[in-house]
Amino acid sequence: DIEIVTLSLTIGARLITSTFGISDAGNISIIARDAVSFDGEDSEGFPSGILSGVLPNAEGNGANIKITTDDSLFITNGALISDSTGGLGSAGGIELNAKKTVLFDGETSYGFSAGTVSQVNPGAIGNAGKVEINTDSLFITNSGQVSTATSGIGDAGNIIVTANSVDFSNGGLLRTSTASNNKAGNITLNIKDNITLTGSETGIFANTTKNSTGNGGSIIIDPEVVNIFDGALISVDSQGTGIGGD
């Protein structure tokens, strides 16, 4: 565990835990009193943040990543929290807890989005992990994204958000998808007050891609108010032969 007052990773600084052989990756737990922020990229375009993976030919599970702050969590300008599997084993789960705000915003200079990703890569055998976010206010803006996906032999993880309010704009995405024979994850939004989605490339999506055969996930939302403006979407669909979710 890392217990700290505040944590800032910038200019490509990263915490990395992976498995190369027959073993599990080590877990990462960060407990902070004040804000936690990951921002930007290094000179070669690699993002700041936390990366965990089961590498190709490895046998073992990815790390669980947990961040808890009494303040806010900022993931900006292409910074990334990623947990993936490319070998034989499942990716770990990602849990983000911030009393005030969680923000995903912006891209790297190469167009890679700030966000949180859990995925099963092509050729991997194992499931993606669950992504769980607990906060007062969640913002996903300017092409930021939270996603789970599968392109291998294994299901995409579920996404669960518990918050008072959610605001996505200017291409902010919450998405789960499958490009394989396996199932996309479900998206559950436990929102006390309101959800606001703004902009034509903004939305909440559970889908299957072309040529996939796995089933899509479902979207479950329960706020008092849902505001959808300027072409934003909440969408469940199947572009493959699998069945779309609810």
mmCIF file with all atom_site columns, all heavy atoms in Angstrom, residues 185-209:
data_model
loop_
_atom_site.group_PDB
_atom_site.id
_atom_site.type_symbol
_atom_site.label_atom_id
_atom_site.label_alt_id
_atom_site.label_comp_id
_atom_site.label_asym_id
_atom_site.label_entity_id
_atom_site.label_seq_id
_atom_site.pdbx_PDB_ins_code
_atom_site.Cartn_x
_atom_site.Cartn_y
_atom_site.Cartn_z
_atom_site.occupancy
_atom_site.B_iso_or_equiv
_atom_site.pdbx_formal_charge
_atom_site.auth_seq_id
_atom_site.auth_comp_id
_atom_site.auth_asym_id
_atom_site.auth_atom_id
_atom_site.pdbx_PDB_model_num
ATOM 1   N N   . GLY A 1 185 ? -19.445 -6.296 -21.004 1.00 0.00 ? 185 GLY A N   1
ATOM 2   C CA  . GLY A 1 185 ? -19.880 -6.087 -19.628 1.00 0.00 ? 185 GLY A CA  1
ATOM 3   C C   . GLY A 1 185 ? -21.155 -5.261 -19.545 1.00 0.00 ? 185 GLY A C   1
ATOM 4   O O   . GLY A 1 185 ? -21.618 -4.671 -20.529 1.00 0.00 ? 185 GLY A O   1
ATOM 5   N N   . ASN A 1 186 ? -21.719 -5.228 -18.355 1.00 0.00 ? 186 ASN A N   1
ATOM 6   C CA  . ASN A 1 186 ? -22.875 -4.376 -18.076 1.00 0.00 ? 186 ASN A CA  1
ATOM 7   C C   . ASN A 1 186 ? -22.411 -3.049 -17.484 1.00 0.00 ? 186 ASN A C   1
ATOM 8   O O   . ASN A 1 186 ? -21.348 -2.961 -16.875 1.00 0.00 ? 186 ASN A O   1
ATOM 9   C CB  . ASN A 1 186 ? -23.824 -5.059 -17.087 1.00 0.00 ? 186 ASN A CB  1
ATOM 10  C CG  . ASN A 1 186 ? -24.404 -6.343 -17.628 1.00 0.00 ? 186 ASN A CG  1
ATOM 11  O OD1 . ASN A 1 186 ? -24.746 -6.433 -18.810 1.00 0.00 ? 186 ASN A OD1 1
ATOM 12  N ND2 . ASN A 1 186 ? -24.511 -7.355 -16.775 1.00 0.00 ? 186 ASN A ND2 1
ATOM 13  N N   . ILE A 1 187 ? -23.224 -2.017 -17.669 1.00 0.00 ? 187 ILE A N   1
ATOM 14  C CA  . ILE A 1 187 ? -22.969 -0.701 -17.079 1.00 0.00 ? 187 ILE A CA  1
ATOM 15  C C   . ILE A 1 187 ? -24.093 -0.393 -16.096 1.00 0.00 ? 187 ILE A C   1
ATOM 16  O O   . ILE A 1 187 ? -25.272 -0.394 -16.474 1.00 0.00 ? 187 ILE A O   1
ATOM 17  C CB  . ILE A 1 187 ? -22.902 0.391  -18.154 1.00 0.00 ? 187 ILE A CB  1
ATOM 18  C CG1 . ILE A 1 187 ? -21.725 0.140  -19.107 1.00 0.00 ? 187 ILE A CG1 1
ATOM 19  C CG2 . ILE A 1 187 ? -22.783 1.771  -17.515 1.00 0.00 ? 187 ILE A CG2 1
ATOM 20  C CD1 . ILE A 1 187 ? -21.674 1.093  -20.286 1.00 0.00 ? 187 ILE A CD1 1
ATOM 21  N N   . THR A 1 188 ? -23.737 -0.148 -14.848 1.00 0.00 ? 188 THR A N   1
ATOM 22  C CA  . THR A 1 188 ? -24.719 0.186  -13.818 1.00 0.00 ? 188 THR A CA  1
ATOM 23  C C   . THR A 1 188 ? -24.378 1.555  -13.244 1.00 0.00 ? 188 THR A C   1
ATOM 24  O O   . THR A 1 188 ? -23.266 1.766  -12.742 1.00 0.00 ? 188 THR A O   1
ATOM 25  C CB  . THR A 1 188 ? -24.727 -0.861 -12.687 1.00 0.00 ? 188 THR A CB  1
ATOM 26  O OG1 . THR A 1 188 ? -25.017 -2.143 -13.237 1.00 0.00 ? 188 THR A OG1 1
ATOM 27  C CG2 . THR A 1 188 ? -25.775 -0.512 -11.647 1.00 0.00 ? 188 THR A CG2 1
ATOM 28  N N   . LEU A 1 189 ? -25.328 2.479  -13.321 1.00 0.00 ? 189 LEU A N   1
ATOM 29  C CA  . LEU A 1 189 ? -25.147 3.828  -12.790 1.00 0.00 ? 189 LEU A CA  1
ATOM 30  C C   . LEU A 1 189 ? -26.110 4.038  -11.629 1.00 0.00 ? 189 LEU A C   1
ATOM 31  O O   . LEU A 1 189 ? -27.322 4.155  -11.828 1.00 0.00 ? 189 LEU A O   1
ATOM 32  C CB  . LEU A 1 189 ? -25.397 4.874  -13.877 1.00 0.00 ? 189 LEU A CB  1
ATOM 33  C CG  . LEU A 1 189 ? -24.485 4.800  -15.114 1.00 0.00 ? 189 LEU A CG  1
ATOM 34  C CD1 . LEU A 1 189 ? -24.859 5.886  -16.108 1.00 0.00 ? 189 LEU A CD1 1
ATOM 35  C CD2 . LEU A 1 189 ? -23.032 4.920  -14.727 1.00 0.00 ? 189 LEU A CD2 1
ATOM 36  N N   . ASN A 1 190 ? -25.546 4.074  -10.428 1.00 0.00 ? 190 ASN A N   1
ATOM 37  C CA  . ASN A 1 190 ? -26.339 4.350  -9.231  1.00 0.00 ? 190 ASN A CA  1
ATOM 38  C C   . ASN A 1 190 ? -26.161 5.835  -8.900  1.00 0.00 ? 190 ASN A C   1
ATOM 39  O O   . ASN A 1 190 ? -25.252 6.218  -8.166  1.00 0.00 ? 190 ASN A O   1
ATOM 40  C CB  . ASN A 1 190 ? -25.844 3.480  -8.071  1.00 0.00 ? 190 ASN A CB  1
ATOM 41  C CG  . ASN A 1 190 ? -25.900 1.999  -8.394  1.00 0.00 ? 190 ASN A CG  1
ATOM 42  O OD1 . ASN A 1 190 ? -26.930 1.500  -8.830  1.00 0.00 ? 190 ASN A OD1 1
ATOM 43  N ND2 . ASN A 1 190 ? -24.793 1.294  -8.193  1.00 0.00 ? 190 ASN A ND2 1
ATOM 44  N N   . ILE A 1 191 ? -27.027 6.658  -9.481  1.00 0.00 ? 191 ILE A N   1
ATOM 45  C CA  . ILE A 1 191 ? -26.868 8.111  -9.414  1.00 0.00 ? 191 ILE A CA  1
ATOM 46  C C   . ILE A 1 191 ? -28.028 8.710  -8.612  1.00 0.00 ? 191 ILE A C   1
ATOM 47  O O   . ILE A 1 191 ? -29.191 8.549  -8.989  1.00 0.00 ? 191 ILE A O   1
ATOM 48  C CB  . ILE A 1 191 ? -26.814 8.729  -10.827 1.00 0.00 ? 191 ILE A CB  1
ATOM 49  C CG1 . ILE A 1 191 ? -25.812 7.977  -11.703 1.00 0.00 ? 191 ILE A CG1 1
ATOM 50  C CG2 . ILE A 1 191 ? -26.485 10.210 -10.726 1.00 0.00 ? 191 ILE A CG2 1
ATOM 51  C CD1 . ILE A 1 191 ? -24.403 7.928  -11.165 1.00 0.00 ? 191 ILE A CD1 1
ATOM 52  N N   . LYS A 1 192 ? -27.696 9.431  -7.557  1.00 0.00 ? 192 LYS A N   1
ATOM 53  C CA  . LYS A 1 192 ? -28.729 9.968  -6.674  1.00 0.00 ? 192 LYS A CA  1
ATOM 54  C C   . LYS A 1 192 ? -29.493 11.115 -7.315  1.00 0.00 ? 192 LYS A C   1
ATOM 55  O O   . LYS A 1 192 ? -30.725 11.194 -7.215  1.00 0.00 ? 192 LYS A O   1
ATOM 56  C CB  . LYS A 1 192 ? -28.099 10.429 -5.364  1.00 0.00 ? 192 LYS A CB  1
ATOM 57  C CG  . LYS A 1 192 ? -29.092 10.969 -4.356  1.00 0.00 ? 192 LYS A CG  1
ATOM 58  C CD  . LYS A 1 192 ? -28.403 11.375 -3.066  1.00 0.00 ? 192 LYS A CD  1
ATOM 59  C CE  . LYS A 1 192 ? -29.400 11.942 -2.067  1.00 0.00 ? 192 LYS A CE  1
ATOM 60  N NZ  . LYS A 1 192 ? -28.740 12.354 -0.801  1.00 0.00 ? 192 LYS A NZ  1
ATOM 61  N N   . ASP A 1 193 ? -28.776 12.044 -7.982  1.00 0.00 ? 193 ASP A N   1
ATOM 62  C CA  . ASP A 1 193 ? -29.416 13.255 -8.493  1.00 0.00 ? 193 ASP A CA  1
ATOM 63  C C   . ASP A 1 193 ? -29.601 13.223 -10.004 1.00 0.00 ? 193 ASP A C   1
ATOM 64  O O   . ASP A 1 193 ? -30.665 12.879 -10.483 1.00 0.00 ? 193 ASP A O   1
ATOM 65  C CB  . ASP A 1 193 ? -28.614 14.488 -8.065  1.00 0.00 ? 193 ASP A CB  1
ATOM 66  C CG  . ASP A 1 193 ? -28.633 14.685 -6.556  1.00 0.00 ? 193 ASP A CG  1
ATOM 67  O OD1 . ASP A 1 193 ? -29.627 14.290 -5.929  1.00 0.00 ? 193 ASP A OD1 1
ATOM 68  O OD2 . ASP A 1 193 ? -27.652 15.220 -6.019  1.00 0.00 ? 193 ASP A OD2 1
ATOM 69  N N   . ASN A 1 194 ? -28.572 13.579 -10.778 1.00 0.00 ? 194 ASN A N   1
ATOM 70  C CA  . ASN A 1 194 ? -28.794 13.732 -12.217 1.00 0.00 ? 194 ASN A CA  1
ATOM 71  C C   . ASN A 1 194 ? -27.635 13.233 -13.051 1.00 0.00 ? 194 ASN A C   1
ATOM 72  O O   . ASN A 1 194 ? -26.483 13.208 -12.611 1.00 0.00 ? 194 ASN A O   1
ATOM 73  C CB  . ASN A 1 194 ? -29.089 15.197 -12.560 1.00 0.00 ? 194 ASN A CB  1
ATOM 74  C CG  . ASN A 1 194 ? -27.945 16.106 -12.208 1.00 0.00 ? 194 ASN A CG  1
ATOM 75  O OD1 . ASN A 1 194 ? -26.961 16.207 -12.938 1.00 0.00 ? 194 ASN A OD1 1
ATOM 76  N ND2 . ASN A 1 194 ? -28.046 16.785 -11.076 1.00 0.00 ? 194 ASN A ND2 1
ATOM 77  N N   . ILE A 1 195 ? -27.980 12.836 -14.287 1.00 0.00 ? 195 ILE A N   1
ATOM 78  C CA  . ILE A 1 195 ? -27.022 12.502 -15.331 1.00 0.00 ? 195 ILE A CA  1
ATOM 79  C C   . ILE A 1 195 ? -27.201 13.521 -16.442 1.00 0.00 ? 195 ILE A C   1
ATOM 80  O O   . ILE A 1 195 ? -28.320 13.729 -16.931 1.00 0.00 ? 195 ILE A O   1
ATOM 81  C CB  . ILE A 1 195 ? -27.262 11.087 -15.886 1.00 0.00 ? 195 ILE A CB  1
ATOM 82  C CG1 . ILE A 1 195 ? -27.016 10.028 -14.811 1.00 0.00 ? 195 ILE A CG1 1
ATOM 83  C CG2 . ILE A 1 195 ? -26.370 10.813 -17.095 1.00 0.00 ? 195 ILE A CG2 1
ATOM 84  C CD1 . ILE A 1 195 ? -27.373 8.626  -15.246 1.00 0.00 ? 195 ILE A CD1 1
ATOM 85  N N   . THR A 1 196 ? -26.095 14.151 -16.869 1.00 0.00 ? 196 THR A N   1
ATOM 86  C CA  . THR A 1 196 ? -26.144 15.111 -17.969 1.00 0.00 ? 196 THR A CA  1
ATOM 87  C C   . THR A 1 196 ? -25.143 14.705 -19.034 1.00 0.00 ? 196 THR A C   1
ATOM 88  O O   . THR A 1 196 ? -23.951 14.545 -18.754 1.00 0.00 ? 196 THR A O   1
ATOM 89  C CB  . THR A 1 196 ? -25.827 16.535 -17.479 1.00 0.00 ? 196 THR A CB  1
ATOM 90  O OG1 . THR A 1 196 ? -26.776 16.912 -16.469 1.00 0.00 ? 196 THR A OG1 1
ATOM 91  C CG2 . THR A 1 196 ? -25.899 17.532 -18.634 1.00 0.00 ? 196 THR A CG2 1
ATOM 92  N N   . LEU A 1 197 ? -25.620 14.521 -20.268 1.00 0.00 ? 197 LEU A N   1
ATOM 93  C CA  . LEU A 1 197 ? -24.795 14.155 -21.413 1.00 0.00 ? 197 LEU A CA  1
ATOM 94  C C   . LEU A 1 197 ? -24.941 15.235 -22.469 1.00 0.00 ? 197 LEU A C   1
ATOM 95  O O   . LEU A 1 197 ? -26.065 15.572 -22.857 1.00 0.00 ? 197 LEU A O   1
ATOM 96  C CB  . LEU A 1 197 ? -25.238 12.809 -22.000 1.00 0.00 ? 197 LEU A CB  1
ATOM 97  C CG  . LEU A 1 197 ? -25.400 11.636 -21.025 1.00 0.00 ? 197 LEU A CG  1
ATOM 98  C CD1 . LEU A 1 197 ? -25.920 10.407 -21.765 1.00 0.00 ? 197 LEU A CD1 1
ATOM 99  C CD2 . LEU A 1 197 ? -24.096 11.328 -20.324 1.00 0.00 ? 197 LEU A CD2 1
ATOM 100 N N   . THR A 1 198 ? -23.798 15.766 -22.953 1.00 0.00 ? 198 THR A N   1
ATOM 101 C CA  . THR A 1 198 ? -23.849 16.879 -23.901 1.00 0.00 ? 198 THR A CA  1
ATOM 102 C C   . THR A 1 198 ? -22.864 16.646 -25.043 1.00 0.00 ? 198 THR A C   1
ATOM 103 O O   . THR A 1 198 ? -21.675 16.420 -24.807 1.00 0.00 ? 198 THR A O   1
ATOM 104 C CB  . THR A 1 198 ? -23.495 18.210 -23.209 1.00 0.00 ? 198 THR A CB  1
ATOM 105 O OG1 . THR A 1 198 ? -24.331 18.391 -22.061 1.00 0.00 ? 198 THR A OG1 1
ATOM 106 C CG2 . THR A 1 198 ? -23.694 19.375 -24.158 1.00 0.00 ? 198 THR A CG2 1
ATOM 107 N N   . GLY A 1 199 ? -23.361 16.703 -26.296 1.00 0.00 ? 199 GLY A N   1
ATOM 108 C CA  . GLY A 1 199 ? -22.483 16.632 -27.460 1.00 0.00 ? 199 GLY A CA  1
ATOM 109 C C   . GLY A 1 199 ? -22.655 15.372 -28.278 1.00 0.00 ? 199 GLY A C   1
ATOM 110 O O   . GLY A 1 199 ? -22.939 14.296 -27.754 1.00 0.00 ? 199 GLY A O   1
ATOM 111 N N   . SER A 1 200 ? -22.448 15.487 -29.580 1.00 0.00 ? 200 SER A N   1
ATOM 112 C CA  . SER A 1 200 ? -22.764 14.414 -30.518 1.00 0.00 ? 200 SER A CA  1
ATOM 113 C C   . SER A 1 200 ? -21.870 13.178 -30.368 1.00 0.00 ? 200 SER A C   1
ATOM 114 O O   . SER A 1 200 ? -22.239 12.101 -30.782 1.00 0.00 ? 200 SER A O   1
ATOM 115 C CB  . SER A 1 200 ? -22.660 14.936 -31.956 1.00 0.00 ? 200 SER A CB  1
ATOM 116 O OG  . SER A 1 200 ? -21.356 15.383 -32.234 1.00 0.00 ? 200 SER A OG  1
ATOM 117 N N   . GLU A 1 201 ? -20.687 13.314 -29.799 1.00 0.00 ? 201 GLU A N   1
ATOM 118 C CA  . GLU A 1 201 ? -19.810 12.151 -29.642 1.00 0.00 ? 201 GLU A CA  1
ATOM 119 C C   . GLU A 1 201 ? -19.749 11.704 -28.192 1.00 0.00 ? 201 GLU A C   1
ATOM 120 O O   . GLU A 1 201 ? -18.885 10.927 -27.814 1.00 0.00 ? 201 GLU A O   1
ATOM 121 C CB  . GLU A 1 201 ? -18.411 12.514 -30.131 1.00 0.00 ? 201 GLU A CB  1
ATOM 122 C CG  . GLU A 1 201 ? -18.467 13.114 -31.503 1.00 0.00 ? 201 GLU A CG  1
ATOM 123 C CD  . GLU A 1 201 ? -17.568 12.412 -32.485 1.00 0.00 ? 201 GLU A CD  1
ATOM 124 O OE1 . GLU A 1 201 ? -16.661 11.734 -32.071 1.00 0.00 ? 201 GLU A OE1 1
ATOM 125 O OE2 . GLU A 1 201 ? -17.828 12.559 -33.667 1.00 0.00 ? 201 GLU A OE2 1
ATOM 126 N N   . THR A 1 202 ? -20.693 12.156 -27.414 1.00 0.00 ? 202 THR A N   1
ATOM 127 C CA  . THR A 1 202 ? -20.740 11.864 -25.980 1.00 0.00 ? 202 THR A CA  1
ATOM 128 C C   . THR A 1 202 ? -21.775 10.778 -25.719 1.00 0.00 ? 202 THR A C   1
ATOM 129 O O   . THR A 1 202 ? -22.804 10.734 -26.393 1.00 0.00 ? 202 THR A O   1
ATOM 130 C CB  . THR A 1 202 ? -21.135 13.132 -25.203 1.00 0.00 ? 202 THR A CB  1
ATOM 131 O OG1 . THR A 1 202 ? -20.207 14.173 -25.506 1.00 0.00 ? 202 THR A OG1 1
ATOM 132 C CG2 . THR A 1 202 ? -21.177 12.892 -23.708 1.00 0.00 ? 202 THR A CG2 1
ATOM 133 N N   . GLY A 1 203 ? -21.515 9.904  -24.737 1.00 0.00 ? 203 GLY A N   1
ATOM 134 C CA  . GLY A 1 203 ? -22.560 8.951  -24.428 1.00 0.00 ? 203 GLY A CA  1
ATOM 135 C C   . GLY A 1 203 ? -22.157 7.806  -23.534 1.00 0.00 ? 203 GLY A C   1
ATOM 136 O O   . GLY A 1 203 ? -21.026 7.711  -23.049 1.00 0.00 ? 203 GLY A O   1
ATOM 137 N N   . ILE A 1 204 ? -23.127 6.923  -23.355 1.00 0.00 ? 204 ILE A N   1
ATOM 138 C CA  . ILE A 1 204 ? -22.994 5.687  -22.594 1.00 0.00 ? 204 ILE A CA  1
ATOM 139 C C   . ILE A 1 204 ? -23.362 4.556  -23.551 1.00 0.00 ? 204 ILE A C   1
ATOM 140 O O   . ILE A 1 204 ? -24.477 4.523  -24.081 1.00 0.00 ? 204 ILE A O   1
ATOM 141 C CB  . ILE A 1 204 ? -23.918 5.693  -21.365 1.00 0.00 ? 204 ILE A CB  1
ATOM 142 C CG1 . ILE A 1 204 ? -23.596 6.894  -20.458 1.00 0.00 ? 204 ILE A CG1 1
ATOM 143 C CG2 . ILE A 1 204 ? -23.787 4.389  -20.589 1.00 0.00 ? 204 ILE A CG2 1
ATOM 144 C CD1 . ILE A 1 204 ? -24.625 7.120  -19.364 1.00 0.00 ? 204 ILE A CD1 1
ATOM 145 N N   . PHE A 1 205 ? -22.422 3.629  -23.781 1.00 0.00 ? 205 PHE A N   1
ATOM 146 C CA  . PHE A 1 205 ? -22.598 2.636  -24.840 1.00 0.00 ? 205 PHE A CA  1
ATOM 147 C C   . PHE A 1 205 ? -22.255 1.236  -24.328 1.00 0.00 ? 205 PHE A C   1
ATOM 148 O O   . PHE A 1 205 ? -21.224 1.039  -23.679 1.00 0.00 ? 205 PHE A O   1
ATOM 149 C CB  . PHE A 1 205 ? -21.688 2.953  -26.029 1.00 0.00 ? 205 PHE A CB  1
ATOM 150 C CG  . PHE A 1 205 ? -21.903 4.310  -26.619 1.00 0.00 ? 205 PHE A CG  1
ATOM 151 C CD1 . PHE A 1 205 ? -21.112 5.386  -26.228 1.00 0.00 ? 205 PHE A CD1 1
ATOM 152 C CD2 . PHE A 1 205 ? -22.902 4.532  -27.550 1.00 0.00 ? 205 PHE A CD2 1
ATOM 153 C CE1 . PHE A 1 205 ? -21.312 6.642  -26.760 1.00 0.00 ? 205 PHE A CE1 1
ATOM 154 C CE2 . PHE A 1 205 ? -23.110 5.791  -28.087 1.00 0.00 ? 205 PHE A CE2 1
ATOM 155 C CZ  . PHE A 1 205 ? -22.321 6.851  -27.694 1.00 0.00 ? 205 PHE A CZ  1
ATOM 156 N N   . ALA A 1 206 ? -23.094 0.271  -24.680 1.00 0.00 ? 206 ALA A N   1
ATOM 157 C CA  . ALA A 1 206 ? -22.816 -1.146 -24.475 1.00 0.00 ? 206 ALA A CA  1
ATOM 158 C C   . ALA A 1 206 ? -23.089 -1.820 -25.814 1.00 0.00 ? 206 ALA A C   1
ATOM 159 O O   . ALA A 1 206 ? -24.243 -1.916 -26.245 1.00 0.00 ? 206 ALA A O   1
ATOM 160 C CB  . ALA A 1 206 ? -23.700 -1.731 -23.379 1.00 0.00 ? 206 ALA A CB  1
ATOM 161 N N   . ASN A 1 207 ? -22.026 -2.272 -26.484 1.00 0.00 ? 207 ASN A N   1
ATOM 162 C CA  . ASN A 1 207 ? -22.250 -2.752 -27.848 1.00 0.00 ? 207 ASN A CA  1
ATOM 163 C C   . ASN A 1 207 ? -21.335 -3.910 -28.217 1.00 0.00 ? 207 ASN A C   1
ATOM 164 O O   . ASN A 1 207 ? -20.425 -4.286 -27.482 1.00 0.00 ? 207 ASN A O   1
ATOM 165 C CB  . ASN A 1 207 ? -22.093 -1.601 -28.854 1.00 0.00 ? 207 ASN A CB  1
ATOM 166 C CG  . ASN A 1 207 ? -20.749 -0.916 -28.759 1.00 0.00 ? 207 ASN A CG  1
ATOM 167 O OD1 . ASN A 1 207 ? -19.761 -1.498 -28.363 1.00 0.00 ? 207 ASN A OD1 1
ATOM 168 N ND2 . ASN A 1 207 ? -20.713 0.358  -29.134 1.00 0.00 ? 207 ASN A ND2 1
ATOM 169 N N   . THR A 1 208 ? -21.621 -4.473 -29.393 1.00 0.00 ? 208 THR A N   1
ATOM 170 C CA  . THR A 1 208 ? -20.765 -5.482 -29.999 1.00 0.00 ? 208 THR A CA  1
ATOM 171 C C   . THR A 1 208 ? -20.314 -4.945 -31.345 1.00 0.00 ? 208 THR A C   1
ATOM 172 O O   . THR A 1 208 ? -21.048 -4.228 -32.022 1.00 0.00 ? 208 THR A O   1
ATOM 173 C CB  . THR A 1 208 ? -21.504 -6.814 -30.199 1.00 0.00 ? 208 THR A CB  1
ATOM 174 O OG1 . THR A 1 208 ? -22.424 -6.711 -31.288 1.00 0.00 ? 208 THR A OG1 1
ATOM 175 C CG2 . THR A 1 208 ? -22.271 -7.213 -28.945 1.00 0.00 ? 208 THR A CG2 1
ATOM 176 N N   . THR A 1 209 ? -19.089 -5.283 -31.743 1.00 0.00 ? 209 THR A N   1
ATOM 177 C CA  . THR A 1 209 ? -18.542 -4.762 -32.990 1.00 0.00 ? 209 THR A CA  1
ATOM 178 C C   . THR A 1 209 ? -18.840 -5.692 -34.162 1.00 0.00 ? 209 THR A C   1
ATOM 179 O O   . THR A 1 209 ? -19.252 -6.842 -33.984 1.00 0.00 ? 209 THR A O   1
ATOM 180 C CB  . THR A 1 209 ? -17.022 -4.567 -32.872 1.00 0.00 ? 209 THR A CB  1
ATOM 181 O OG1 . THR A 1 209 ? -16.406 -5.843 -32.677 1.00 0.00 ? 209 THR A OG1 1
ATOM 182 C CG2 . THR A 1 209 ? -16.683 -3.647 -31.709 1.00 0.00 ? 209 THR A CG2 1
#
